[in-house]
Amino acid sequence: MGSLSPAMTPKLLLPAKTSHTISLNAVFRPPFPSPGSMIKRIRCKSIDFSHPDWKTKYQQDFEQRFNIPHVTDFFPHAQSYPSTFCLRMRTPVSEDFAQGYPSDEEWQGYINNDDRVLLKVIRFSSPRSAGAECIDPDCTWVEQWIHRAGPREKIYFKPEDVKAAIVTCGGLCPGLNDVIRQIVITLEIYGVKKIVGIPFGYRGFGNELAEIPLTRKVVQNVHLSGGSLLGVSRGGPNVSEIVDSMQERGITMLFVLGGNGTHAGANAIHNECRKRGFKVAVVGVPKTIDNDILLMDKTFGFDTAVEEAQRAINSAYIEAHSAYRGVGVVKLMGRSSGFIAMQAALASGQIDICLIPEVPFELHGPHGVLNHLKYLLETKGSAVICVAEGAGQNFVEKTNAKDASGNIVYGDIGVHIHQEIKKYFKEIGDPADVKYIDPTYMIRACRANASDGILCTVLGQNAVHGAFGGYSGITVGICNTHYVYLPIPEVISYPKTVDPNSRMWHRCLTSTGQPDFV
């Protein structure tokens, strides 16, 4: 369904040398050697930096764009109630639990609606600093504040009237069951009795699949295994049909777990509900193993993926170093972002060459990967390569095929590199024992590790707090170690990618010792 397809790639433009007017939300980046470098991202209306009040106008625009939608924006007379979430009293004292919890206005566990978290914490003094993200060419410091997540003192849904639904979309990711579990547990603490799971992603809103009743007893141990209790899939009915199904089922809270494309769908559902005057809270929980969602420190499943990738890398290392002139090739996940490959290379200390989508490279020629590999075999006797799945797509056969989410089906760069290495060394008459490992589905299907388990727990809880607080069309994430609510459109405008001028990528290059392959 077209409206649920991933967000469009951003337009990258260079400013005219004679103009001082650029994007109101432009990110100024200095030139650096990488062929994949960018100077500015043009995202919204232009602003004249020569104007004395440009900074104030920028902040006003930022506050407007990052203001999260609230039920009172669309239903001005929506009634609020004292929160039923209080850690001092979590057992209903009567059947009518909206009034059965004693009001505790003195409890210090609530978040004020005006609490904010600082989006950027580094004040770059020069646009030439490594990883610099500047609003203007002078790197002027501008404070950017976003909404803090957590339980509110006033709620906008009566728990006894709520029917909450959870849906998991896209591919598998470690931690899905952990988030489902915490959403259910937190909903029950608020006093919600009607909680269901929508099976197999958005597809479950069709008539052929029955919803799955969820309780704490049902989800108690689901986090002990990988996968999703509810199942996953790509695609599904169109937005209008999904909202029709929600109205028929009486769903008043929808929790959507997925990546950029899934969040685009959640935002479309939110907008359609508002258009119809249907009071529903639609809250996203970002699920992408690639860690490619904007503005967030990390997404759940990423830490587990990096940890599990160590097993594959170590296997490739042992195979390579146990063979005469051995080469191990490991393909890791990362369609447009090389975070897993980069972090796995740093963590393992066993990678000699790391290839990611953000940094172009050549295979052949004096500065190519194969020539450097020849050098490694001559000097070290063996080598290990890790490559992200989206890297080097210019070397593989292109197809127009797309999956159900609208993603282009990529060629297998891992297989291609494996074959090119064997072919290269055969042609020059030198032996090379090449082993190829693709652990993709093993990593996706495993249980979340401790770090991801904590992240999933807090994300699930804060998703429920946001819904009861009356917010909709939002997603929950972690930013500068604090949990925040963000408007969905701001996090899906394009995928987050590795900055080739960042300190982290420089650290990866230092660890591997690889040159620029151009």
Side-chain angles (χ1 to χ4, degrees):
M1 68 193 177
S3 58
L4 301 185
S5 60
M8 185 172 59
T9 305
K11 184 178 182 182
L12 304 183
L13 297 175
L14 292 175
K17 292 183 179 179
T18 57
S19 173
H20 296 285
T21 303
I22 64 173
S23 162
L24 188 58
N25 193 46
V27 176
F28 180 83
R29 296 174 183 269
F32 47 80
S34 166
S37 66
M38 65 179 177
I39 307 301
K40 300 180 189 293
R41 292 186 185 274
I42 305 300
R43 292 186 55 197
C44 52
K45 62 183 181 180
S46 62
I47 182 170
D48 186 357
F49 285 125
S50 65
H51 194 284
D53 293 330
W54 77 262
K55 185 175 175 180
T56 300
K57 292 179 179 179
Y58 177 92
Q59 288 178 314
Q60 291 173 345
D61 177 79
F62 182 89
E63 290 175 6
Q64 182 179 3
R65 289 188 298 107
F66 281 81
N67 183 43
I68 53 180
H70 193 268
V71 64
T72 54
D73 297 336
F74 307 94
F75 304 95
H77 303 295
Q79 186 177 354
S80 64
Y81 312 92
S83 178
T84 56
F85 180 86
C86 176
L87 298 187
R88 291 185 182 178
M89 185 65 175
R90 288 181 288 173
T91 304
V93 295
S94 75
E95 291 299 320
D96 189 10
F97 34 87
Q99 285 75 37
Y101 285 92
S103 176
D104 189 358
E105 297 179 358
E106 296 181 359
W107 184 54
Q108 297 299 306
Y110 296 121
I111 299 296
N112 190 290
N113 285 340
D114 293 327
D115 284 357
R116 298 290 186 270
V117 172
L118 194 60
L119 179 63
K120 303 291 184 183
V121 294
I122 298 179
R123 182 171 182 169
F124 294 102
S125 61
S126 167
R128 299 196 62 82
S129 296
E133 294 185 3
C134 303
I135 294 169
D136 71 328
D138 296 324
C139 251
T140 303
W141 170 254
V142 180
E143 293 182 354
Q144 301 169 67
W145 298 96
I146 51 180
H147 291 252
R148 185 184 179 197
R152 268 54 178 174
E153 188 175 331
K154 299 293 183 182
I155 60 177
Y156 287 81
F157 292 87
K158 284 188 175 181
E160 66 268 33
D161 296 336
V162 168
K163 181 177 181 180
I166 307 170
V167 60
T168 57
C169 306
L172 288 179
C173 177
L176 280 169
N177 283 333
D178 301 64
V179 178
I180 293 169
R181 179 177 182 269
Q182 280 302 317
I183 290 175
V184 172
I185 289 173
T186 309
L187 283 167
E188 287 198 350
I189 289 174
Y190 270 96
V192 178
K193 295 293 186 181
K194 294 174 285 187
I195 310 170
V196 299
I198 304 299
F200 302 109
Y202 287 127
R203 190 182 304 275
F205 282 104
N207 296 324
E208 69 275 12
L209 297 170
E211 57 192 28
I212 303 169
L214 298 175
T215 64
R216 180 165 191 153
K217 184 176 181 180
V218 171
V219 303
Q220 185 61 41
N221 297 315
V222 296
H223 64 302
L224 303 180
S225 61
S228 170
L229 169 69
L230 306 178
V232 294
S233 74
R234 301 185 186 277
N238 62 43
V239 172
S240 180
E241 291 171 337
I242 290 175
V243 177
D244 287 343
S245 178
M246 289 173 61
Q247 289 183 306
E248 291 170 5
R249 299 167 189 244
I251 293 171
T252 53
M253 286 186 184
L254 178 64
F255 300 95
V256 182
L257 284 58
N260 282 308
T262 301
H263 271 67
N267 192 58
I269 292 169
H270 159 77
N271 289 332
E272 180 66 16
C273 289
R274 294 298 174 259
K275 180 180 176 182
R276 298 188 186 190
F278 182 26
K279 184 185 173 185
V280 179
V282 180
V283 179
V285 181
K287 177 231 68 174
T288 167
I289 205 168
D290 293 345
N291 196 37
D292 62 351
I293 292 192
L294 286 173
L295 307 176
M296 300 182 186
D297 293 357
K298 62 180 178 180
T299 51
F300 74 84
F302 174 70
D303 275 355
T304 305
V306 172
E307 184 175 308
E308 288 298 313
Q310 306 305 298
R311 304 177 192 273
I313 290 172
N314 189 55
S315 296
Y317 178 86
I318 292 172
E319 286 284 352
H321 285 255
S322 299
Y324 176 62
R325 292 173 62 88
V327 178
V329 180
V330 180
K331 186 183 79 171
L332 298 174
M333 287 158 289
R335 288 182 54 84
S336 58
S337 305
F339 290 104
I340 292 179
M342 177 179 68
Q343 298 278 34
L346 275 166
S348 71
Q350 298 171 316
I351 296 297
D352 299 291
I353 299 173
C354 178
L355 304 174
I356 61 174
E358 296 88 341
V359 181
F361 60 90
E362 295 294 337
L363 282 175
H364 299 276
H367 303 294
V369 171
L370 296 174
N371 191 58
H372 183 63
L373 188 58
K374 179 175 178 288
Y375 166 78
L376 291 171
L377 293 186
E378 291 171 351
T379 56
K380 292 180 56 182
S382 61
V384 181
I385 302 172
C386 76
V387 54
E389 63 180 311
Q393 287 301 302
N394 53 307
F395 296 115
V396 295
E397 184 178 353
K398 291 181 173 62
T399 68
N400 294 321
K402 294 184 179 181
D403 63 21
S405 294
N407 300 313
I408 297 173
V409 177
Y410 281 173
D412 197 326
I413 186 62
V415 170
H416 180 78
I417 287 179
H418 175 218
Q419 294 172 344
E420 287 296 306
I421 293 171
K422 293 173 69 175
K423 179 181 176 183
Y424 173 77
F425 284 101
K426 182 178 179 180
E427 288 177 350
I428 65 174
D430 286 340
D433 191 345
V434 190
K435 299 294 192 300
Y436 174 57
I437 299 174
D438 181 354
T440 299
Y441 292 104
M442 295 177 64
I443 292 174
R444 287 182 7 151
C446 68
R447 173 188 173 186
N449 66 9
S451 175
D452 271 328
I454 295 170
L455 178 59
C456 292
T457 295
V458 184
L459 290 176
Q461 291 176 0
N462 280 322
V464 177
H465 294 322
F468 266 104
Y471 298 110
S472 181
I474 64 167
T475 192
V476 58
I478 183 169
C479 180
N480 294 322
T481 73
H482 296 282
Y483 291 88
V484 298
Y485 296 134
L486 294 161
I488 291 177
E490 291 299 324
V491 300
I492 64 171
S493 54
Y494 54 89
K496 182 176 74 172
T497 56
V498 174
D499 179 359
N501 192 48
S502 67
R503 289 294 301 126
M504 191 59 74
W505 178 243
H506 293 169
R507 293 173 187 132
C508 183
L509 296 179
T510 302
S511 175
T512 63
Q514 71 191 62
D516 290 331
F517 296 117
V518 293

